[in-house]
Amino acid sequence: MKFKYMAAITFFAFAVLLGAGLYSKTSYKDYNKEKEPLNHFSVGIFPDNLADIQIEIMQEVLDNSRHIIAARCEDTSKYLYSCAVQPVTVEQVFKGEGLKTGEKISIQTVSQIFMEKDLYVGGKPSLNIGFVNEMKPGKTYLIFLDRKIDTHNEEKIFVHPKETLIRPVFCYEKIENKPCVSNSDISNSTYYKDVSENEFFLASETTIKKIEEFKETLLHKYPIQ
């Protein structure tokens, strides 16, 4: 298991997105002023050869998340310096202390924005959204969370478990997923606008079927009342 996990992390770091230099300085731009901010970016496509490994990892770690909730998305993403968060209202708490039904919190959707010119894909900056689309306002999601991060205000921002490459957010409704086709010669990436209707950013019908079947097992395990 450790070998598979390390293989996944290594592949992710060097091939899936942008390889070395992910933690270099980013230049700031206020995307909150844009009408469709995600359309300015490219996103990574999850590769077929890591699907089984990732499902195995999620099977092992998600039930051990500090917080497991069902929550209704209230708005699109809000962009901070080099990440983005989305506001939700907690509808049901399956696990974890400190959260209650009706509480409003924020969930990190984008963990890193890459603005360096040499990391552009097809002339667009890239972001790490965890191979999962942002939540759609009005829809309810099953969300696995790790911890609340420290902020300088009263906003409660939670992050997902770090062990999973696929961000563990699953819509209770059925959302059609189509295979994502890379438009880059140097990374497995595509323009967000080309996959904006998907729930997951996956490379093939085979992987879509595997992830959707795994999603269904989770929704049955944590049914919303």
Side-chain angles (χ1 to χ4, degrees):
M1 183 60 217
K2 288 184 178 180
F3 175 79
K4 289 183 177 180
Y5 179 69
M6 291 305 298
I9 293 299
T10 300
F11 189 92
F12 173 76
F14 291 95
V16 176
L17 285 178
L18 301 167
L22 294 186
Y23 294 100
S24 55
K25 293 182 179 179
T26 59
S27 57
Y28 179 77
K29 179 178 180 179
D30 187 2
Y31 284 98
N32 295 305
K33 297 179 179 179
E34 303 291 333
K35 184 177 180 180
E36 299 287 346
L38 280 172
N39 286 343
H40 292 272
F41 294 96
S42 61
V43 294
I45 302 170
F46 196 81
D48 292 335
N49 63 334
L50 287 184
D52 291 337
I53 295 172
Q54 180 62 190
I55 290 173
E56 180 181 341
I57 292 172
M58 290 193 290
Q59 288 172 333
E60 290 187 4
V61 306
L62 289 187
D63 289 337
N64 295 322
S65 301
R66 293 184 183 180
H67 304 277
I68 303 174
I69 63 172
R72 183 182 69 252
C73 177
E74 299 295 353
D75 203 349
T76 54
S77 296
K78 178 178 71 174
Y79 290 80
L80 307 178
Y81 175 67
S82 62
C83 67
V85 299
Q86 264 189 290
V88 302
T89 299
V90 178
E91 292 194 344
Q92 191 168 337
V93 178
F94 298 107
K95 179 184 177 182
E97 298 180 354
L99 290 177
K100 59 185 179 181
T101 301
E103 186 171 4
K104 298 186 183 299
I105 63 174
S106 293
I107 308 296
Q108 186 183 65
T109 53
V110 175
S111 61
Q112 188 73 31
I113 299 174
F114 310 114
M115 296 297 296
E116 298 90 336
K117 293 289 186 180
D118 58 336
L119 298 181
Y120 274 28
V121 175
K124 293 181 180 291
S126 303
L127 51 77
N128 181 6
I129 198 170
F131 309 102
V132 179
N133 206 345
E134 71 172 357
M135 295 175 283
K136 303 297 184 182
K139 294 186 182 297
T140 299
Y141 292 79
L142 174 63
I143 306 173
F144 297 84
L145 299 171
D146 179 24
R147 60 184 176 84
K148 180 173 74 74
I149 63 175
D150 295 328
T151 61
H152 297 293
N153 52 42
E154 296 182 355
E155 184 177 11
K156 294 183 177 180
I157 299 177
F158 287 80
V159 296
H160 300 285
K162 61 184 177 181
E163 293 90 348
T164 63
L165 301 181
I166 294 178
R167 189 162 50 86
V169 177
F170 306 92
C171 187
Y172 277 95
E173 296 182 26
K174 172 69 176 178
I175 297 178
E176 182 181 3
N177 291 287
K178 296 180 180 180
C180 302
V181 179
S182 177
N183 57 19
S184 171
D185 295 329
I186 60 174
S187 66
N188 199 22
S189 305
T190 189
Y191 298 140
Y192 172 81
K193 64 181 179 62
D194 293 337
V195 295
S196 61
E197 298 302 315
N198 279 27
E199 180 176 11
F200 309 107
F201 304 142
L202 308 171
S204 70
E205 291 284 2
T206 299
T207 299
I208 288 172
K209 182 178 179 180
K210 290 179 179 179
I211 297 299
E212 288 184 341
E213 288 178 348
F214 177 67
K215 167 187 168 177
E216 287 304 311
T217 65
L218 293 174
L219 298 186
H220 280 92
K221 183 182 293 186
Y222 300 102
I224 191 168
Q225 302 299 319

